[in-house]
Amino acid sequence: MHSRRDFLQKVSLGLGAAALSAFPAIANELTSNRQDKQLRVAIMGLGGYANIVAKGMQECKMAKIVGVISGTPSKIETWKKQYDIPDKNTYNYETVSQIKNNPDIDLVYVITPNSLHHKHVLQIAAAGKHVICEKPVADNAKQAREMIAACEKANVKFYIGYRLHFEPHTLELIRMREAGEFGKIMHVNNYAGFKIGDPTQWRLKKSLAGGGAMMDVGVYSLNGARYCTGEEPIWVTAQESKTDPVKFKEVDETITFQLGFPSGIIANCGCTYNFNHVEGLKLMGEKGWAEVNPAFGYGPIRGTTHKGKLEAPDVNHQANQMDGIADCILNNKPDPNVTGHEGLKDMVVIDAVYESIRKNGAKIFINK
């Protein structure tokens, strides 16, 4: 068995140019001539997933939490104590613009509700800091384009939290597909979902979430179909079902959608907020197949192919992601496929999914 480092180096080489973004490498003054070689990160939005990220980052070698941004003073106090954050690195949503004057923060990780991503990324870009934003990148493709443009104008890097693009089992699946080990890809089935709890939470409010299951877990099914095929969809059909119109009054409950690709591949995908035990990826090719389940959670990821068990090391997803991004920024390396442009590609398809639903399942040809 190879070491984890050997494995990741092999996978990185195997991905080739297709997995690298066209987003330009930047030697930003924030991180040039640094001696400590650690990316200094502030977390914006201190909710449930922020706590998972922070816990995971305790395993990071190249990134560390040094600041927080929150509208809740009690949360700031808790995080200050837990992560030894100095007062000068704490901000609220009214003072966040002042972060531009703080040389001790390199990057801000935006983990606020979906519909606030657009506003907050624009603020961080204007402050001259690199930014990583949780997915979905925004409410729609128009906002995503504006966010990309703002970061390019400010000469800062813009990443999306696609942690699976750093996850070894997922990367091995992509390597096998790129190496032709499955042969011509014929079909893909991807599903993601869970039974959502508290009916008063922000994920069920359209003004904060932008949508329901499609925006939250549907992006996993969609992004998975794209990396299973190595192609971009050219059309979409979609259907929505709603069994609880009270709880899901404002957002979608369950959506199934089909993606058509240039080679003729069709991917059947689905997402839900109303039942558990629905997570999996299946790829079928002329020469072989792969089935990954769990495929999209925080780990461990498990899979099988026509060759046997999908062999790869288990890692802390959040730590692996942040170390990978830190390596790109600190060492001026090419960006992996997690930039704002990757988020935009998913958002264009999500827009088409919702358009198809509005048009009673009509086939929508995707306008890039």
Side-chain angles (χ1 to χ4, degrees):
M1 175 67 71
H2 296 296
S3 70
R4 171 180 161 188
R5 177 177 295 178
D6 290 341
F7 177 86
L8 293 177
Q9 287 175 341
K10 178 181 177 182
V11 168
S12 177
L13 291 171
L15 286 175
L20 298 177
S21 166
F23 202 72
I26 302 170
N28 193 287
E29 63 180 355
L30 292 170
T31 51
S32 61
N33 301 316
R34 286 270 298 280
Q35 300 300 314
D36 58 345
K37 282 296 183 181
Q38 273 198 314
L39 189 72
R40 300 167 299 186
V41 178
I43 305 292
M44 185 174 193
L46 305 182
Y49 188 63
N51 280 276
I52 293 172
V53 169
K55 183 178 179 181
M57 283 185 65
Q58 301 314 293
E59 297 184 23
C60 281
K61 303 293 189 251
M62 301 186 68
K64 63 180 179 180
I65 297 172
V66 300
V68 291
I69 304 160
S70 174
T72 307
S74 61
K75 289 184 179 180
I76 291 177
E77 289 303 313
T78 297
W79 280 60
K80 279 171 54 181
K81 295 174 183 176
Q82 189 166 356
Y83 298 106
D84 194 25
I85 296 171
D87 285 335
K88 68 182 183 64
N89 289 356
T90 65
Y91 302 86
N92 59 42
Y93 296 125
E94 285 69 46
T95 63
V96 66
S97 63
Q98 297 173 16
I99 204 169
K100 67 182 178 183
N101 301 317
N102 191 336
D104 295 330
I105 294 174
D106 303 317
L107 174 145
V108 175
Y109 195 155
V110 175
I111 318 181
T112 52
N114 304 339
S115 292
L116 300 178
H117 290 174
H118 177 257
K119 173 183 177 180
H120 290 156
V121 168
L122 296 187
Q123 287 179 316
I124 301 307
K129 304 295 183 181
H130 299 304
V131 58
I132 175 172
C133 177
E134 259 312 304
K135 56 195 178 301
V137 57
D139 282 351
N140 51 58
K142 177 178 181 293
Q143 288 185 349
R145 292 188 178 96
E146 291 170 354
M147 295 155 80
I148 291 169
C151 290
E152 289 179 343
K153 180 179 180 180
N155 200 35
V156 297
K157 291 200 173 190
F158 178 32
Y159 300 101
I160 312 301
Y162 287 107
R163 57 185 166 74
L164 291 174
H165 287 237
F166 297 92
E167 195 282 317
H169 296 79
T170 304
L171 291 177
E172 175 62 4
L173 177 77
I174 294 171
R175 185 204 64 75
M176 290 179 70
R177 190 260 301 161
E178 290 186 335
E181 294 180 29
F182 301 117
K184 180 182 178 182
I185 307 302
M186 305 302 294
H187 193 70
V188 173
N189 278 334
N190 293 339
Y191 293 88
F194 64 97
K195 188 172 182 64
I196 201 163
D198 180 8
T200 66
Q201 65 180 281
W202 68 265
R203 286 178 177 83
L204 298 178
K205 301 180 188 303
K206 187 173 177 61
S207 61
L208 291 174
M214 187 67 218
M215 294 288 280
D216 187 1
V217 288
V219 70
Y220 289 102
S221 299
L222 163 58
N223 197 258
R226 290 178 50 236
Y227 61 66
C228 277
T229 61
E231 300 182 22
E232 297 301 327
I234 56 175
W235 59 260
V236 169
T237 59
Q239 307 79 35
E240 178 184 3
S241 61
K242 191 170 290 192
T243 63
D244 189 339
V246 175
K247 186 173 185 178
F248 299 100
K249 179 181 179 180
E250 297 185 28
V251 301
D252 45 282
E253 173 192 316
T254 300
I255 288 179
T256 54
F257 58 101
Q258 301 74 43
L259 306 173
F261 293 88
S263 66
I265 303 168
I266 292 178
N268 287 331
C269 302
C271 55
T272 186
Y273 263 170
N274 205 32
F275 49 91
N276 293 320
H277 314 298
V278 53
E279 179 189 344
L281 172 157
K282 190 164 186 179
L283 174 159
M284 289 145 277
E286 283 189 325
K287 295 181 181 178
W289 55 271
E291 187 165 6
V292 185
N293 190 339
F296 308 122
Y298 300 151
I301 303 298
R302 291 290 180 263
T304 307
T305 77
H306 61 288
K307 293 186 173 183
K309 182 180 177 182
L310 191 62
E311 294 285 357
D314 293 329
V315 300
N316 181 300
H317 293 193
Q318 289 74 25
N320 229 42
Q321 170 187 271
M322 294 309 297
D323 272 344
I325 286 172
D327 192 26
C328 292
I329 294 176
L330 294 173
N331 297 312
N332 199 27
K333 292 184 177 180
D335 290 319
N337 200 29
V338 296
T339 70
H341 294 280
E342 177 71 358
L344 172 61
K345 290 175 182 178
D346 278 344
M347 208 66 248
V348 166
V349 180
I350 291 173
D351 282 355
V353 166
Y354 282 125
E355 182 180 355
S356 178
I357 290 170
R358 289 193 298 270
K359 295 180 177 179
N360 298 312
K363 180 182 284 189
I364 305 298
F365 290 91
I366 296 173
N367 180 9
K368 299 292 195 298

